[in-house]
Amino acid sequence: MTKHFSLSRQLAQALLLAAGVAACQAHAAKAVPAVASAAQPKLVVVLVVDGLPQEQVTRYRDQFGQGGFRRLLEQGAWFSDAHQAHGITVTAIGHSAVLSGAYPYQHGVIGNNWIDPVTKKSVYCTEDGNFHYIGEDTQPDDGTAPTRLRVSTLGDELRYSTGDKAKVVTVSGKDRGAILLAGKTGTAYMYMEKTGNFASSTYYMQQHPQWVQRYQAAKPQDRYYGKNWTPLLADSAYVNDARDDLVPAKPGTRNTFPFAYYSDSGKLDGEYYSRLKSGPFLDELTLEFARAAIDGENLGRNPAGVPDILGVSLSAHDYVNHAYGPESKMSHDHLQRLDRMLAGFFLDLDKKVGMDNVLVVLTADHGFANVPEFSETRGISAKRIDGAKLVDALNQHLAATLGIDKLVTTSSLPNIYLDYALAEKSGIHRAALEDAAARFLLQQDGLAQVYTRTQMETGAVATRMDTLMRRAWNRQLSGDLMVVTKPAWYFGKGVGGTSHGTPYTYDTNVPLMVFGPRWIKPGAYGQYAEVVDIAPTLAHLLRIRQPSASEGRILTEAVR
């Protein structure tokens, strides 16, 4: 291993020691305040807006109405420097962080998909073949259970502390959004794109309660057939957004308003229900189901007198940003529509539970890069990297230089897996193989950094990127190499759209807002915060044990 790829052990130890001393001093200087005399909240509502960068909240803030985002920003605590503080910023990892307070190296969810160390096959974060959706078609890799989540969540601890009397219910347009918020002992409901229903799985129950059956029977998802998504605001409101024609539309799609919701068959079928995901109607349905859950489960009115948790993951913004970019008119409009939806939801919460009894948290699982074509118009180098071609080129290079074929066994980028045993048989030591692979990768367009297993196992960190990537690496599950793209570059191919997944601030900096006047001091807070701080803060206010692997801090500056 060359000095380029690792720090000396002495420097690493010095850095870690200094960090530990600073942390101890900070803890001593800022003791945790006693919990306010106010009773526990009756309902904790955790909202996760999938794929919402912090910058979009600030950029479009003046156009928000009074009751949605603005209510949280002005009447709650808003942390402008909040981050999903791990290096691989994707949906499953971000949702796992929210209520576990843990990083991937402990909670074990290292991506949406990864390579199983035993089978060497790709697995999905919430798949478990022992369970199936209730009344819905289930494929082998569908998300049905939190089996791969290795730690407890806030909901698990609340149920433990109340003898399972507290209710923890989550709902999302994505299975992973609901399941990873629900933890081990909550109940998750997810959108079924073949039928438009929200359904749970047999991990949680054998049949749906009657309130779910009534909701499904009404088929609210069918009312959008033939409707269009058109801009909410006047044309002048969107003048600073990117041009619609900057990136060509992908085959079979549009890249400009209006967007119609239908199916080619002319019937209510899977094509139509799948189309609903990329627009505001999915979020409308998700919040509607959340309202039904509040009524059906009496959330916030628990007869045992204990708090409940409602988790709502709003998935559509992620789909919109992937397709059009966060700089687009479509993303801009969707956020404005979501703002109005949240205002209506908060009004209903006030009627059903009373906002004086509710503690609300809003955050996101990750941010977003701009569309590469947009970045390039601003003089920023940005492109898509074909991951399959990159891995093939690496294998060919290693074969040519080391004389052994297929030293790369598989990949699930940014993770790459090497065949150490095959190399050792030919007298090539592990570090030499890693070094050869890393040197080649760092010469490729669009790659900024490569981390090796040897580096990760030594624990050496010098930069913020080192820290974030180390948190994202799990010893048993992660690859032997982890690659980081240059800023504004990402893994993808073809034309159109954009993505996320890096340790750069456009992907890590997300909203963190907490509202609950009886427990939270309103204000705009510039202190650094992380999404993993949510769980310990809520545990403090609920007077329960923190989740098992929580590493966040209590946001004392905002607690009454």
Side-chain angles (χ1 to χ4, degrees):
M1 179 72 70
T2 66
K3 291 184 180 178
H4 184 78
F5 299 121
S6 66
L7 293 174
S8 69
R9 183 176 297 274
Q10 292 88 343
L11 176 58
Q13 289 174 337
L15 287 167
L16 291 172
L17 178 61
V21 171
C24 291
Q25 291 173 339
H27 181 77
K30 196 165 194 178
V32 176
V35 178
S37 59
Q40 294 169 294
K42 293 182 179 179
L43 179 63
V44 175
V45 178
V46 179
L47 299 164
V48 182
V49 182
D50 200 317
L52 175 60
Q54 173 78 278
E55 65 91 9
Q56 283 197 297
V57 173
T58 55
R59 183 155 47 111
Y60 301 133
R61 177 174 180 169
D62 291 345
Q63 296 175 343
F64 293 147
Q66 289 300 316
F69 285 113
R70 190 183 294 273
R71 184 173 187 177
L72 302 181
L73 288 164
E74 296 178 355
Q75 299 178 35
W78 168 50
F79 289 83
S80 60
D81 193 22
H83 295 262
Q84 283 280 6
H86 44 256
I88 303 176
T89 41
V90 296
T91 296
I93 298 177
H95 279 81
S96 296
V98 175
L99 292 183
S100 74
Y103 304 116
Y105 84 94
Q106 288 205 80
H107 64 57
V109 178
I110 64 167
N112 294 335
N113 298 81
W114 63 86
I115 304 301
D116 184 273
V118 177
T119 66
K120 308 300 182 185
K121 295 180 180 178
S122 179
V123 295
Y124 179 57
C125 56
T126 50
E127 72 174 67
D128 188 328
N130 296 306
F131 307 101
H132 59 82
Y133 295 136
I134 300 170
E136 303 283 337
D137 177 64
T138 309
Q139 297 300 310
D141 60 349
D142 281 340
T144 57
T147 309
R148 289 182 167 80
L149 182 66
R150 297 180 172 184
V151 300
S152 73
T153 63
L154 183 80
D156 296 328
E157 298 299 342
L158 179 61
R159 284 180 56 76
Y160 167 74
S161 72
T162 61
D164 289 334
K165 295 181 179 67
K167 293 184 178 182
V168 177
V169 179
T170 64
V171 56
S172 176
K174 298 179 181 179
D175 58 73
R176 56 190 182 270
I179 290 170
L180 296 170
L181 284 181
K184 301 291 187 178
T185 60
T187 303
Y189 294 92
M190 32 269 181
Y191 182 76
M192 302 283 114
E193 64 178 55
K194 293 181 180 178
T195 64
N197 288 324
F198 284 92
S200 192
S201 83
T202 53
Y203 172 85
Y204 304 98
M205 66 191 84
Q206 293 305 305
Q207 64 179 26
H208 289 135
Q210 288 197 350
W211 70 266
V212 176
Q213 296 178 37
R214 289 194 298 271
Y215 180 89
Q216 290 183 345
K219 291 192 172 297
Q221 65 270 32
D222 292 355
R223 65 172 174 257
Y224 302 107
Y225 193 91
K227 290 192 175 182
N228 291 335
W229 171 22
T230 56
L232 176 70
L233 307 177
D235 290 345
S236 58
Y238 306 97
V239 294
N240 293 323
D241 296 332
R243 302 192 323 269
D244 293 342
D245 63 352
L246 185 65
V247 181
K250 294 181 179 179
T253 67
R254 291 177 58 86
N255 62 353
T256 186
F257 285 113
F259 295 91
Y261 294 92
Y262 64 96
S263 70
D264 290 337
S265 69
K267 300 177 181 178
L268 294 162
D269 58 18
E271 182 185 9
Y272 159 67
Y273 296 124
S274 182
R275 275 195 171 124
L276 282 179
K277 295 192 304 181
S278 297
F281 300 140
L282 174 62
D283 288 340
E284 282 190 11
L285 289 168
T286 303
L287 288 169
E288 186 172 331
F289 188 86
R291 290 179 174 93
I294 292 170
D295 291 337
E297 299 289 348
N298 285 314
L299 299 179
R301 296 159 291 179
N302 195 306
V306 299
D308 297 318
I309 294 176
L310 173 65
V312 183
S313 175
L314 298 154
S315 305
H317 201 65
D318 179 73
Y319 292 122
V320 172
N321 275 347
H322 269 294
Y324 312 110
E327 69 281 357
S328 68
K329 182 178 181 179
M330 284 67 74
S331 180
H332 180 172
D333 187 78
H334 180 265
L335 191 61
Q336 294 300 320
R337 287 184 173 274
L338 180 58
D339 171 63
R340 278 63 170 179
M341 291 181 219
L342 289 174
F345 181 66
F346 293 152
L347 284 175
D348 286 342
L349 271 176
D350 201 13
K351 293 175 183 176
K352 295 172 185 291
V353 184
M355 289 301 278
D356 285 346
N357 301 313
V358 178
L359 185 62
V360 178
V361 176
L362 186 145
T363 189
D365 53 347
H366 56 77
F368 253 97
N370 293 113
V371 170
E373 290 80 0
F374 177 80
S375 294
E376 290 191 316
T377 66
R378 306 183 69 79
I380 298 171
S381 173
K383 289 210 171 29
R384 302 173 183 87
I385 301 171
D386 188 321
K389 289 182 179 179
L390 177 70
V391 173
D392 285 346
L394 174 59
N395 243 334
Q396 292 173 22
H397 170 77
L398 294 176
T401 56
L402 301 180
I404 306 172
D405 290 333
K406 298 182 180 178
L407 283 169
V408 177
T409 59
T410 188
S411 66
S412 181
L413 292 171
N415 288 283
I416 298 175
Y417 299 78
L418 302 174
D419 194 332
Y420 290 129
L422 180 60
E424 290 286 351
K425 286 181 181 178
S426 301
I428 301 171
H429 295 304
R430 183 177 106 169
L433 173 58
E434 293 172 349
D435 195 56
R439 284 183 177 278
F440 172 80
L441 289 169
L442 286 172
Q443 295 172 2
Q444 307 311 300
D445 287 345
L447 295 188
Q449 185 59 281
V450 180
Y451 292 89
T452 69
R453 178 170 289 274
T454 298
Q455 268 182 286
M456 292 300 187
E457 289 179 345
T458 64
V461 295
T463 67
R464 176 168 172 78
M465 182 186 290
D466 295 345
T467 299
L468 299 188
M469 296 307 294
R470 180 64 184 82
R471 290 172 177 172
W473 187 81
N474 182 281
R475 186 181 297 270
Q476 292 81 32
L477 302 173
S478 295
D480 306 308
L481 304 171
M482 285 208 311
V483 293
V484 181
T485 65
K486 290 180 179 178
W489 293 61
Y490 69 90
F491 292 110
K493 55 185 179 181
V495 296
T498 186
S499 195
H500 49 85
T502 73
Y504 299 115
T505 52
Y506 54 76
D507 279 341
T508 66
N509 188 202
V510 296
L512 201 173
M513 308 174 198
V514 190
F515 172 87
R518 297 174 71 185
W519 307 277
I520 299 299
K521 292 184 289 189
Y525 293 87
Q527 292 93 326
Y528 176 79
E530 296 184 359
V531 171
V532 295
D533 299 336
I534 292 171
T537 301
L538 294 179
H540 173 67
L541 294 172
L542 289 168
R543 307 172 195 171
I544 62 174
R545 183 172 68 181
Q546 291 188 19
S548 56
S550 174
E551 292 191 50
R553 69 179 179 91
I554 297 171
L555 298 169
T556 55
E557 58 269 43
V559 174
R560 288 196 185 278

